[in-house]
């Protein structure tokens, strides 16, 4: 992968994949602020199982890029303590499916220390975790359980869908005074490249991105599903003249309710695409928010195109589980033709 | 003892300490050590031990090569660890239970799972996780250490119901000893004195993190002391030593003598010769010379030498066994490759009955499959 060295060559931008942009983002933040430390399983010498921390160990040494014992509760609990000393921990959970041992530390403590101490203490940290399916992985390696964390007040939840956003959102997350769950869509870790500025920059945690403007229906999505949603939009525009607006939420908590409702007021129709199970997923929250804010503009039932209410199957069936472009297209047409 | 650098040429890794607490029967070549007590096993059983270890080695090689050909997904190799896996399983009585990890392919096979079912999940079919009624094996555990309290609970349940002829054997890695579940499970096991044997397959590495980064304790076996249970450290590349230690621990779990404790933590000292999984590259984090030293203690060679020395094995029998193994593994993979499944399976076995809502989701998928062809669903999501 492109090494951190290229950051120093004086170029204004480099063409990076999403995982390279994350690595570059970590490098940039660690260079500027030596309280930033990366810790987790295999993040050091190995450079992370997805290479997201590649070269950082060589660059910053074992006291800032720390291989920990295999213990998620320990990693997050320790990070909460580190944060109390003025350090900026960026712990990595190797896969989202292995975050559960740390769940108690995250929801009972990281999320609540600020409110519990009435603002006296806070937990500025960024928990990075690769998530989602589609990479032919074994059981537990394809989880997409963002709703667990969105449901917990006190946490921010972020999921980039492009290399540019990955670096900018990561920077904003690291600068944020509250704990952020930074969910990395591993399906698109290496799917495409994009120009990413070498200089530091932020992408705001308050703004959804309008990826494609349209007037007939608003499609709300995030992470890896942004790509099939855009493909579906393009296909429908060509085959049926349906003009689809695609909104990439980027920050899942707190939601950018303004961008969500403004789009809906324009189109009057909505489809929400996520790979997580349908029931209790973030789609339900978005649909209800739209109805609360803009019911009078509604022209058709709101459609959710989501994963099944079943565990993610092993890879022989995962293509049927994840929303594919055809499923998204079909859902959009149903809503538009209502 | 002989785990030491007998040739004096290569550096002995720090993990292979010369220590008196390591149980061994065979030396590095496979000769019986002078003070060793050889476990009492029939020739037939010894040959079974040998054949199963050889089969495991062959299975591993085939699985790695199938993975490279794109015929299997990510696979966790076991070369170097087969001796311990097979010996612990052959020490089990039929009614005993096994809690395996994602690397315990041979342990599962030796306790009754068929080879085809081991290949199926690697081909993406959950069907292979199905356990026949007469086999006491839990489906593999992928989240680290989660099986430890569960194995304890099963052993406890047996004890509470007076079924003390049944022991539970639970595998885990050295990395697993860092997780809270490990400590909670062992603590319960001690408090409730349950008929369970925990085998820590200390292969020195948890992906890229060495054993010394998991614990500052000198050994893993000594952790047992803190939970009030027995701890034993055994040469995990010596199948006879592992068999002996595991049989004794299982027997004690079922039938403790006066003052004896039921639970045991066995630290089986071994080495992962290959990569953590086929997605891993060990050259990034470890030195190859380390592997060479352990290679000199290969469990397959040691048991083979022992059997030749005892006159139980000769070259004719060896090649007959090899042929049988190759055929059995080929047949299993062929059968696994013919496995078929249907997208309907996504909704099966989530609950005993498929809830109406899930049925609707399945019907919706089938409607789309009819409308578009299946190919439209396998478009790469990029
Ligand atoms: C709870 C949890 N965290 C992280 C992982 C990812 N992971 C899979 S295997 C592994 C290392 C396990 O090492 P060890 O327990 O020594 O067993 P080994 O693989 O060496 O047999 C890790 C970190 C996981 N499976 N489960």
């Amino acid at each position: 992968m492109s090494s951190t060295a290229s950051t120093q060559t004086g170029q204004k931008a480099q063409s990076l994949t999403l995982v390279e942009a994350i690595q570059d983002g970590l490098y940039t933040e660690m260079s500027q602020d030596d309280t930033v430390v990366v810790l987790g399983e295999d993040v050091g010498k190995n450079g992370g199982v997805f290479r997201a921390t590649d070269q950082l160990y060589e660059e910053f040494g074992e006291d800032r890029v720390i291989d920990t014992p295999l213990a998620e509760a320990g990693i997050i609990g320790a990070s909460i303590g580190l944060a109390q000393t003025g350090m900026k921990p960026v712990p990595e959970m190797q896969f989202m499916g292995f975050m559960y041992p740390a769940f108690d530390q995250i929801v009972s403590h990281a999320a609540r220390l600020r409110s519990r101490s009435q603002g006296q203490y806070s937990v500025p940290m960024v928990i990075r975790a690769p998530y989602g399916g589609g990479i032919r992985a074994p059981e537990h390696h394809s989880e997409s359980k963002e709703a667990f964390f969105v449901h917990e007040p006190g946490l921010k939840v972020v999921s980039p869908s492009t290399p540019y956003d990955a670096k900018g959102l990561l920077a904003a997350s690291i600068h944020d005074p509250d704990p952020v769950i930074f969910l990395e869509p591993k399906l698109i870790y290496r799917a495409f490249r994009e120009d990413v500025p070498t200089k530091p920059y932020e992408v705001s945690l308050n703004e959804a991105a309008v990826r494609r403007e349209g007037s007939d229906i608003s499609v709300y999505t995030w992470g890896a599903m942004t790509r099939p949603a855009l493909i579906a939009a393009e296909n429908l525009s060509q085959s049926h003249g349906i003009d689809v607006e695609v909104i990439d939420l980027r920050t899942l908590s707190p939601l950018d309710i303004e961008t969500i409702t403004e789009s809906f007021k324009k189109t009057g129709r909505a489809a929400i695409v996520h790979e997580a199970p349908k029931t209790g997923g973030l789609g339900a929250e978005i649909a209800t928010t739209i109805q609360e804010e803009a019911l009078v503009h509604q022209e058709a039932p709101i459609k959710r195109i989501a994963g099944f209410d079943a565990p993610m199957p092993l890879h022989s069936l995962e293509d049927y589980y994840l929303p594919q472009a055809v499923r998204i297209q079909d859902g959009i047409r149903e809503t538009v033709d209502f | 003892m002989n785990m030491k650098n007998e040739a004096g040429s290569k550096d002995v890794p720090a993990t292979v300490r010369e220590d008196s607490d390591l149980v061994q029967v065979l030396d590095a070549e496979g000769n019986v050590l002078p003070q060793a007590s050889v476990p009492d096993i029939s020739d037939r059983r010894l040959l079974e031990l040998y054949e199963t270890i050889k089969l495991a080695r062959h299975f591993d090689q085939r699985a790695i090569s199938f993975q490279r050909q794109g015929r299997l997904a990510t696979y966790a190799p076991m070369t170097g660890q087969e001796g311990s896996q097979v010996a612990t399983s052959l020490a089990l009585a039929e009614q005993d239970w096994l809690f395996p990890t994602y690397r315990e392919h041979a342990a599962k096979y030796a306790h009754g799972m068929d080879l085809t079912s081991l290949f199926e999940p690697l081909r993406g079919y959950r069907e292979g996780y199905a356990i026949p009624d007469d086999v006491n094996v839990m489906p593999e555990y992928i989240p680290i250490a989660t099986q430890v309290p569960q194995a304890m609970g099963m052993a406890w349940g047996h004890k509470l119901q007076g079924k003390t002829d049944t022991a539970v054997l639970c595998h885990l890695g050295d990395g697993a000893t860092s997780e809270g579940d490990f400590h909670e499970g062992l603590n319960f096991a001690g408090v409730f004195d349950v008929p369970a044997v925990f085998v820590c397959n200390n292969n020195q590495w948890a992906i890229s993190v060495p054993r010394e980064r998991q614990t500052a304790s000198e050994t893993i076996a000594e952790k047992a002391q803190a939970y009030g249970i027995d701890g034993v450290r055994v040469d995990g590349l010596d199948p006879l030593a592992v068999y002996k230690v595991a049989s004794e621990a299982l027997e004690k779990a079922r039938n403790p003598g006066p003052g004896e404790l039921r639970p045991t933590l066995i630290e089986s000292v071994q080495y992962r010769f290959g990569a953590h999984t086929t997605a891993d590259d060990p050259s990034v984090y470890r030195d190859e010379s380390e592997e060479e030293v352990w290679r000199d203690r290969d469990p397959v060679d040691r048991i083979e030498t022992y059997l030749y020395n005892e006159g139980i094995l000769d070259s004719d029998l060896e090649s007959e066994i090899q042929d049988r193994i190759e055929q059995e593994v080929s047949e299993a993979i062929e059968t696994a490759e013919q496995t078929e499944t249907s997208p309907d399976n996504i909704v099966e076995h989530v609950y005993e009955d498929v809830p109406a809502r899930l049925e609707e989701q399945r019907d919706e998928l089938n409607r789309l499959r009819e409308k578009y062809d299946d190919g439209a669903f396998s478009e790469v999501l990029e």
Side-chain angles (χ1 to χ4, degrees):
Chain A
M1 78 174 275
S2 96
S3 82
T4 47
S6 55
T7 353
Q8 294 145 359
T9 58
Q11 292 169 316
K12 290 211 178 67
Q14 45 188 341
S15 176
L16 300 182
T17 61
L18 195 143
V19 70
E20 286 168 351
I22 286 164
Q23 187 263 8
D24 187 45
L26 289 169
Y27 175 83
T28 306
E29 295 308 313
M30 292 182 81
S31 311
Q32 290 185 313
D33 175 357
D34 40 83
T35 65
V36 177
V37 293
V38 164
L39 68 162
E41 295 152 13
D42 305 290
V43 298
K45 229 173 172 184
N46 201 30
V49 294
F50 289 104
R51 296 276 165 273
T53 54
D54 198 29
Q55 301 295 318
L56 298 180
Y57 179 85
E58 288 77 358
E59 192 66 35
F60 298 104
E62 62 173 6
D63 289 338
R64 293 191 62 201
V65 186
I66 309 163
D67 277 325
T68 64
L70 205 180
E72 290 76 9
I75 294 166
I76 300 302
S79 296
I80 294 172
L82 286 168
Q84 302 318 303
T85 69
M87 292 177 80
K88 248 300 175 169
V90 184
E92 176 182 291
M93 299 278 95
Q94 198 159 74
F95 284 85
M96 188 181 211
F98 303 132
M99 263 173 109
Y100 308 129
F103 199 70
D104 180 46
Q105 290 290 344
I106 296 171
V107 302
S108 305
H109 303 287
R112 304 174 66 130
L113 196 54
R114 182 184 294 281
S115 58
R116 184 181 300 134
S117 68
Q118 292 298 287
Q120 186 70 22
Y121 304 133
S122 65
V123 186
M125 71 167 165
V126 182
I127 305 176
R128 296 182 35 249
Y131 84 110
I135 62 157
R136 287 168 62 84
E139 203 190 349
H140 306 287
H141 288 72
S142 305
E143 312 291 292
S144 179
K145 296 294 169 63
E146 57 273 28
F148 288 168
F149 299 105
V150 169
H151 192 59
E152 186 61 42
L155 300 175
K156 291 185 178 172
V157 183
V158 173
S159 177
S161 76
T162 68
Y164 179 90
D165 277 8
K167 181 172 175 182
L169 289 167
L170 182 63
S173 301
I174 291 176
H175 303 154
D176 198 272
D178 285 307
V180 177
I181 312 286
F182 193 84
L183 299 175
E184 301 172 3
K186 60 182 178 290
L187 174 63
I188 55 169
Y189 259 160
R190 298 191 160 77
F192 59 97
R193 291 181 176 274
E194 185 179 50
D195 271 356
V196 173
T198 51
K199 66 168 178 24
Y201 63 94
E202 279 193 23
V203 170
S204 158
L205 301 188
N206 306 316
E207 281 170 44
V210 181
R211 294 286 176 210
R212 185 183 194 283
E213 296 209 26
S215 54
D216 293 329
I217 181 170
S218 306
V219 171
Y220 302 98
T221 191
W222 57 90
M225 293 300 106
T226 309
R227 307 226 350 128
L230 283 166
I231 293 169
E234 216 43 59
N235 289 347
L236 286 175
S237 137
Q238 279 168 24
S239 60
H240 292 78
I242 300 177
D243 194 15
V244 183
E245 178 144 307
V246 178
I247 311 271
D248 169 10
L249 297 177
R250 300 200 285 202
T251 299
L252 311 183
S253 178
L255 283 171
D256 175 2
I257 291 175
E258 200 183 312
T259 304
I260 293 171
T261 26
E262 281 316 304
S263 175
F264 188 75
K265 283 178 183 166
K266 183 169 74 172
T267 63
R269 297 180 186 84
I272 302 141
V273 181
H274 63 65
E275 57 177 292
K278 186 172 184 177
T279 299
L282 195 52
E285 181 61 35
I286 295 163
T288 314
T289 301
I290 292 170
Q291 296 203 328
E292 281 174 348
E293 302 288 326
L295 182 70
V296 293
H297 298 270
Q298 186 167 342
E299 305 210 15
I302 297 169
K303 180 85 184 166
R304 282 179 288 167
I305 302 153
F308 287 74
D309 292 336
M312 170 71 90
L314 295 182
H315 68 81
S316 67
L317 294 176
E318 76 181 333
D319 288 347
Y320 292 100
Y321 184 95
L322 296 170
Q324 298 276 354
V326 282
R327 234 172 107 193
I328 300 171
Q329 275 160 237
D330 207 86
I332 291 173
R333 280 183 57 195
E334 199 184 300
T335 310
V336 172
D337 295 345
F338 177 75
Chain B
M1 62 134 244
N2 257 25
M3 280 298 266
K4 220 181 78 170
N5 181 7
E6 54 291 326
S9 53
K10 292 169 195 151
D11 283 340
V12 178
T15 41
V16 190
R17 303 173 314 133
E18 186 195 5
D19 44 12
S20 50
D21 63 349
L22 189 72
V23 178
Q24 287 183 305
V25 172
L26 302 175
D27 70 10
E29 273 79 52
N31 306 305
V32 176
L33 286 159
Q35 313 300 335
S37 73
V38 181
D40 182 20
I41 323 176
S42 69
D43 289 359
R44 194 186 53 77
R45 197 77 172 145
L46 277 169
L47 281 170
E48 190 185 345
L49 182 65
Y50 167 71
E51 178 160 345
T52 315
I53 293 172
K54 288 271 275 192
L55 180 139
R57 176 68 52 96
H58 183 68
F59 177 98
D60 208 49
Q61 287 163 350
R62 299 304 289 157
I64 292 168
S65 104
F66 284 131
Q67 198 283 331
R68 291 201 184 112
Q69 295 163 32
R71 291 157 77 183
L72 297 181
T74 312
Y75 170 75
M78 59 188 165
T79 291
Q81 306 190 211
E82 313 92 329
S84 187
Q85 285 194 22
V86 174
T88 46
S89 274
L90 291 189
L92 293 170
E94 206 184 326
Q95 77 276 7
D96 291 340
W97 277 81
L98 176 71
F99 282 66
T101 74
Y102 47 80
R103 202 184 298 286
E104 255 64 49
H105 321 289
K108 284 158 86 171
Y109 170 74
H111 199 47
M113 292 298 290
D114 70 60
L115 286 181
T116 303
S117 73
L118 301 184
F119 280 119
E120 278 168 342
L122 299 167
R123 291 193 42 78
Y125 299 113
R126 203 175 264 157
E127 283 78 349
Y129 279 157
I131 313 279
D133 284 342
D134 58 345
V135 176
N136 290 350
V137 174
M138 293 296 280
E140 69 183 6
Y141 286 79
I142 293 180
I144 301 299
T146 43
Q147 68 277 22
V148 178
Q150 296 179 23
M152 176 277 153
M154 180 188 275
W156 192 16
H158 289 152
K159 185 184 173 195
L160 291 173
Q161 295 173 69
K163 267 176 63 184
T164 48
D165 68 328
T166 304
V168 173
L169 186 139
C170 173
H171 285 282
L172 56 131
D174 40 304
T177 67
S178 298
E179 293 274 11
D181 278 353
F182 167 80
H183 302 278
E184 296 181 29
L186 260 61
N187 191 45
F188 269 55
V191 168
F192 297 106
D193 192 37
V194 303
V197 176
F198 303 93
V199 180
C200 176
N201 297 297
N202 174 7
N203 66 10
Q204 315 302 335
W205 292 92
I207 312 189
S208 71
V209 183
R211 210 280 316 176
E212 309 85 77
R213 256 284 151 118
Q214 298 301 336
T215 175
S217 307
E218 206 169 323
T219 71
I220 287 169
E222 75 191 44
K223 290 176 184 290
Q225 216 184 343
Y227 304 110
I229 69 177
D230 289 321
V232 187
R233 205 157 172 269
V234 63
D235 178 352
L237 284 78
D238 175 349
L240 290 187
V242 175
Y243 183 87
K244 179 176 142 71
V245 162
S247 318
E248 286 168 6
L250 287 161
E251 182 48 31
K252 179 171 72 75
R254 290 184 288 250
N255 251 323
E260 275 189 335
L261 306 166
R262 289 182 189 272
T264 307
L265 170 64
I266 297 173
E267 176 185 358
S268 176
V269 182
Q270 47 195 275
Y271 193 76
R272 156 162 66 74
F273 286 128
H276 167 72
T277 66
T278 46
D280 169 58
D281 172 12
S283 71
V284 177
Y285 53 80
R286 75 183 190 194
D287 195 347
E288 260 174 51
S289 64
E290 180 181 300
E291 182 195 325
E292 277 172 41
V293 178
W294 291 90
R295 283 270 181 197
D296 291 345
R297 303 169 166 77
D298 192 296
V300 178
D301 299 343
R302 278 161 91 178
I303 184 80
E304 203 161 85
T305 303
Y306 172 77
L307 293 177
Y308 268 99
N309 286 349
E310 296 294 306
I312 299 170
L313 185 67
D314 57 33
S315 58
D316 286 348
L317 185 52
E318 188 189 333
S319 57
E320 183 191 315
I321 288 173
Q322 187 61 29
D323 290 346
R324 195 158 54 224
I325 285 169
E326 286 173 20
Q327 179 159 357
E328 204 183 327
V329 173
S330 298
E331 278 170 12
I333 184 94
E334 270 163 37
T335 316
E337 291 201 309
Q338 280 150 23
T339 303
E340 281 182 24
T341 194
S342 141
D344 285 353
N345 271 358
I346 293 174
V347 306
E348 293 298 333
H349 307 299
V350 184
Y351 303 94
E352 183 162 325
D353 300 318
V354 182
R357 197 176 163 77
L358 202 42
E359 247 173 46
E360 277 168 29
Q361 294 178 4
R362 178 198 55 202
D363 294 347
E364 168 79 4
L365 176 64
N366 285 334
R367 182 183 68 75
L368 290 171
R369 288 176 61 213
E370 250 165 60
K371 192 163 161 188
Y372 309 95
D373 63 301
D374 273 340
F377 290 86
S378 60
E379 267 172 38
V380 182
L381 271 169
E382 275 176 6

